[in-house]
């Protein structure tokens, strides 16, 4: 009786889950291909994969909730309330959000990669070093003197970066 009454919702939920799994598989294949072509490390690849998985899961959850009869007005009110709270929290931590966003941009645009020797064009503190690792929040550089310097990813997008040699 229960199954007959909600048969359409069960089918739509199953289709949504299948689409989510297939999309997740295809997106992960694309990320792996981009990472391999750009010679990007597993840690960066894993972070981008995790962010995209979270987004896809959230969208699937919203679709499933709407399939089961929550009114769109209620759903949008709930989502806008949650996003407002998250937005306020992220605004307080804007530098973290900007560094994560910059890390994702660096992943997909790959203007430089691990092993490249770069010069950060900063008039107050110019840096010439080799890229050791690119994480979600920062990039680790090593100078010729052996010093390790971590630079927030958003600075790599804001400042001029000269690529001296490819790794």
């Amino acid at each position: 009786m229960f199954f007959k009454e909600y048969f359409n919702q069960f089918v739509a939920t199953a289709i949504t889950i299948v689409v989510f799994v297939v999309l997740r598989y295809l997106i992960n294949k694309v990320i792996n291909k981009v990472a391999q072509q750009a010679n990007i490390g597993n840690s960066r690849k894993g972070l981008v994969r995790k962010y995209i998985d979270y987004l896809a899961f959230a969208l699937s959850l919203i679709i499933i909730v709407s399939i089961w009869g929550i009114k769109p007005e209620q759903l949008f009110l709930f989502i806008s309330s949650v996003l407002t709270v998250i937005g306020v929290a992220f605004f307080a931590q804007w530098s973290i959000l900007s560094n994560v966003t910059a890390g994702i941009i660096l992943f997909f645009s790959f203007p430089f990669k691990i092993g490249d020797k770069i010069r950060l064009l900063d008039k107050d503190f110019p840096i010439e070093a080799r890229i050791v690792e690119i994480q979600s929040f920062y990039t680790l550089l090593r100078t010729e003197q052996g010093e390790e310097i971590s630079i927030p990813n958003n600075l790599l997008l804001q400042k001029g970066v000269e690529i001296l040699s490819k790794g």
Side-chain angles (χ1 to χ4, degrees):
M1 179 76 174
F2 177 78
F3 186 72
K4 284 183 181 180
E5 187 175 338
Y6 295 104
F7 178 76
N8 291 337
Q9 286 90 340
F10 281 118
V11 170
T13 301
I15 289 171
T16 302
I17 292 170
V18 168
V19 168
F20 168 73
V21 170
V22 169
L23 272 175
R24 184 173 181 249
Y25 173 77
L26 292 173
I27 288 170
N28 285 334
K29 285 193 70 86
V30 168
I31 290 171
N32 287 335
K33 188 171 185 165
V34 168
Q36 184 180 12
Q37 288 175 348
N39 194 20
I40 293 173
N42 286 333
S43 61
R44 280 181 63 204
K45 180 174 63 173
L47 288 171
V48 170
R49 185 181 301 148
K50 182 171 56 171
Y51 295 147
I52 291 175
D53 282 349
Y54 286 154
L55 177 64
F57 178 76
L59 291 174
S60 298
L61 191 62
I62 290 170
I63 291 169
I64 290 171
V65 166
S66 65
I67 287 171
W68 283 93
I70 296 202
K71 294 179 183 172
E73 302 85 36
Q74 294 172 337
L75 182 63
F76 290 128
L77 177 65
F78 173 74
I79 291 171
S80 65
S81 299
V82 169
L83 289 177
T84 301
V85 170
I86 291 172
V88 168
F90 274 142
F91 182 73
Q93 298 297 325
W94 71 270
S95 64
I96 292 174
L97 182 61
S98 68
N99 283 320
V100 170
T101 305
I104 292 171
I105 292 170
L106 289 175
F107 176 81
F108 284 109
S109 67
F110 41 89
F112 37 79
K113 60 184 181 181
I114 295 172
D116 288 355
K117 187 174 183 179
I118 63 168
R119 180 181 298 136
L120 188 63
L121 304 174
D122 186 356
K123 72 176 190 167
D124 296 329
F125 189 63
I127 298 172
E128 190 172 306
R130 192 162 300 278
I131 298 175
V132 177
E133 185 66 44
I134 302 174
Q135 295 289 325
S136 60
F137 297 107
Y138 65 91
T139 298
L140 187 62
L141 306 173
R142 183 172 293 128
T143 65
E144 289 185 13
Q145 294 77 26
E147 298 171 316
E148 288 191 350
I149 303 169
S150 67
I151 301 290
N153 285 335
N154 61 1
L155 286 181
L156 290 174
L157 293 179
Q158 294 172 2
K159 302 283 184 183
V161 176
E162 180 180 0
I163 300 173
L164 302 174
S165 66
K166 293 286 186 180

